[in-house]
């Protein structure tokens, strides 16, 4: 399965690293940090399992988005109590971006909406840890203050979940 992700800057990776000691009480700590823009599902679109077809459909769609870049901002910590997939809670960095929300809507119009994760349910975030007790997630969020981190990206990346690596880069211009 492929997904379209926003590159996460070094400042966000450093923040996640600084929070690592606080995350050890959760079952799994995410070492690679990603920001999902859209998941591609073969049940919704036949091109979802072909990197060349997916890339060629995305290029004009991303360029027509108009902005040429996306402005994003990490603003705090939160958690999903019961995520649509996998164990909860999921502790994450909150990402605010009107640009990303607008792009996500256009991608869903073109490629379909993965139920429970996208469309109106889409919450841009960078996962830090998952599994464990809700009380630990609540405690961590109440005790932790995050200095906002703002960044701009001019490209997105297609990620191949089978190999857990980026398979392509697509500029927004």
């Amino acid at each position: 399965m492929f997904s379209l992700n926003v590159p996460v800057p070094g400042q966000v990776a450093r923040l996640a690293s600084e929070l690592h000691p606080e995350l050890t009480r959760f079952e799994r700590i995410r070492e690679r940090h990603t920001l999902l823009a859209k998941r591609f599902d073969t049940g919704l679109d036949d091109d979802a399992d072909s990197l060349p077809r997916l890339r060629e459909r995305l290029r004009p769609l991303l360029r027509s988005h108009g902005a040429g870049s996306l402005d994003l901002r990490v603003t705090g910590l939160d958690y999903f109590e019961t995520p649509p997939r996998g164990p909860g809670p999921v502790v994450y960095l909150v990402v605010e971006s009107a640009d990303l929300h607008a792009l996500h809507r256009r991608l869903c119009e073109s490629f379909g909406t993965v139920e429970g994760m996208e469309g109106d349910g889409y919450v841009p975030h960078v996962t830090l840890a998952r599994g464990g007790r809700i009380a630990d997630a609540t405690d961590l969020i109440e005790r932790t203050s995050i200095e906002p981190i703002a960044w701009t990206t001019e490209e997105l990346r297609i990620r191949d979940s089978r190999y857990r690596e980026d398979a392509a880069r697509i500029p927004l211009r």
Side-chain angles (χ1 to χ4, degrees):
M1 178 187 292
F2 294 105
S3 63
L4 187 65
N5 294 340
V6 176
V8 176
Q11 304 107 299
V12 173
R14 279 191 295 282
L15 174 59
S17 179
E18 290 168 8
L19 292 169
H20 192 277
E22 296 291 334
L23 301 172
T24 58
R25 60 181 116 170
F26 298 96
E27 293 169 12
R28 286 187 254 165
I29 299 173
R30 180 75 57 92
E31 298 299 331
R32 289 187 174 192
H33 300 99
T34 60
L35 172 53
L36 180 72
K38 174 76 179 94
R39 233 176 228 170
F40 301 103
D41 185 332
T42 55
L44 298 171
D45 191 289
D46 292 337
D47 288 341
D49 66 346
S50 169
L51 179 60
R53 288 193 310 262
L54 187 59
R55 186 176 45 225
E56 291 313 307
R57 280 183 60 196
L58 281 168
R59 279 188 177 132
L61 180 70
L62 295 176
R63 286 190 186 121
S64 71
H65 179 63
S69 64
L70 301 175
D71 292 325
L72 305 112
R73 185 173 152 112
V74 168
T75 59
L77 278 175
D78 205 347
Y79 70 94
F80 300 118
E81 187 170 331
T82 53
R85 296 184 181 154
V90 173
V91 176
Y92 63 88
L93 295 171
V94 176
V95 177
E96 295 179 4
S97 174
D99 294 340
L100 182 56
H101 274 284
L103 177 62
H104 176 78
R105 281 191 298 277
R106 291 195 61 200
L107 291 166
C108 286
E109 289 169 5
S110 295
F111 291 95
T113 302
V114 176
E115 192 66 37
M117 301 179 81
E118 297 182 336
D120 292 338
Y122 177 63
V123 177
H125 67 280
V126 176
T127 299
L128 297 175
R130 70 181 318 143
R133 298 177 338 127
I134 299 292
D136 289 336
T138 302
D139 176 60
L140 174 63
I141 289 160
E142 288 174 355
R143 290 185 304 100
T144 307
S145 174
I146 301 288
E147 285 293 319
I149 299 171
W151 80 98
T152 300
T153 188
E154 295 179 352
E155 75 172 17
L156 298 177
R157 297 179 182 166
I158 298 175
R159 186 163 181 81
D160 187 330
S161 65
R162 292 169 294 194
Y163 302 110
R164 296 183 182 202
E165 64 184 22
D166 293 338
R169 294 175 181 214
I170 302 178
L172 293 170
R173 296 186 186 271

